Amino acid sequence: LSPGFNLAMANFNIDVQLTDGVRVSLISYMSSRHHNEFWVKGGFFQIDKVAFLNSQLMNDIWKNLTLKIGHMEINYGDSHFRRTDGGNALYNPFVENNLMDAFTTEIGGELYWQKSGFLAMVGITDGEIQGSTTKGDDRAPSYYGKAGYDGTFNDFRVRLTSSIYTTKSSISNTLYGGDRAGSRYYFVLEPTTATLTANSFSGRINPGFRDNITAFVINPFLKFKNIEVFGTYEIATGNSQVENGEIQSTDPAQGSFQKLSKRQANQYAIDGVYRFAKDKMYVGAKYNVLDGDLAFGQSTTQPNINQGVRQDVRVERTAFAAGWFITKNILLKGEYVTQKYKDFPATDIRNNGKFEGFVIEGVIGF
């Protein structure tokens, strides 16, 4: 790789207040690595007040409730609040997201309860990034929830949440592959034939749990004056359709595939950020590790169906970042990153791989 400018990304958000306590949001990608064309991310309808029902009883019931319905970014874990989403990079102190990037949009609803810093949420969606009315036996809803506490005591803020997400069957689940914008580490550890769109997620790891998945994550956040620490402890298990034997070869010579046991991936991440100069500048460090049982060489192209070869691998990332909020809407940030790949198959380009270098990014948000 050599120094160069990467694709400029842009998001376009529309937020409309329909009436007191009722709003709608629509988010689109105007330019991104994965989709260069204008692309709708999703939108949702949110109800915080129900005065339109003209019922004091419902007003009292709804006092601590919020309902979101739509094709929206699901609220699994807290990392998606600090990640970069296409052109929206103001909330991420670093340049890239977690190795196993839990982010997707699905169609469904979420009901929230919040009081005195305590929060709880339950959600149900169709379990996929887009809707469908076909192959009903292969699809099942996703159920997920979150519980936690977020409170401030003088100069000390503490937030602790836990989330769970599960679906028993899907045509194509994308909890760890739902990003339609792409990563910020362009072309790292990719073949020379790589293209901007086809190899959009360089540097990330998708465990490939496309059929069934159960994921659990704990996210602690601590802030004391100008110092903040954010952590992730995550466990995910699941399989793909070919591993479950749902896809069989049309070639009798290949025989039939049996259902395999579920694979597991574990992720740990911690970052620390120190803000100074009246929060206009910051420095930070992040350490992110993924240990997982990945399947290599899977194929669903007939008649060459292949369940792949399973292998335990490890990926480690260390990143150091600094940023300057020139104004509250303009951010200049830079990052030095080192990422190492261990125990990948010899046939994989990431075998004993490593990349390191600088990324400098400018962000405008308004």
Side-chain angles (χ1 to χ4, degrees), residues 42 45 49 57 71 74 122 131 142 157 172-173 180-182 187 237 247 255 282 301 329 344:
F45 179 66
K49 297 180 181 180
L57 175 62
H71 189 168
I74 67 169
V122 291
S142 287
R157 179 186 172 190
S172 181
N173 185 274
R180 279 163 283 176
F187 296 108
T237 61
I247 301 177
Y282 68 84
T301 303
N329 304 109
F344 279 69

Side-chain angles (χ1 to χ4, degrees), residues 96-116:
E96 192 24 40
N97 305 329
N98 283 346
L99 287 165
M100 197 163 68
D101 186 27
F103 166 88
T104 191
T105 57
E106 295 178 357
I107 304 170
E110 299 175 348
L111 180 64
Y112 293 79
W113 175 86
Q114 300 176 77
K115 185 176 182 180
S116 302

Side-chain angles (χ1 to χ4, degrees), residues 214-225:
T214 297
F216 173 77
V217 63
I218 296 176
N219 291 119
F221 174 79
L222 302 173
K223 180 168 180 154
F224 179 70
K225 294 185 177 180

Side-chain angles (χ1 to χ4, degrees), residues 1-19:
L1 297 178
S2 59
F5 287 95
N6 299 319
L7 176 71
M9 297 191 187
N11 295 9
F12 183 58
N13 296 8
I14 299 176
D15 292 289
V16 180
Q17 193 77 28
L18 301 179
T19 188

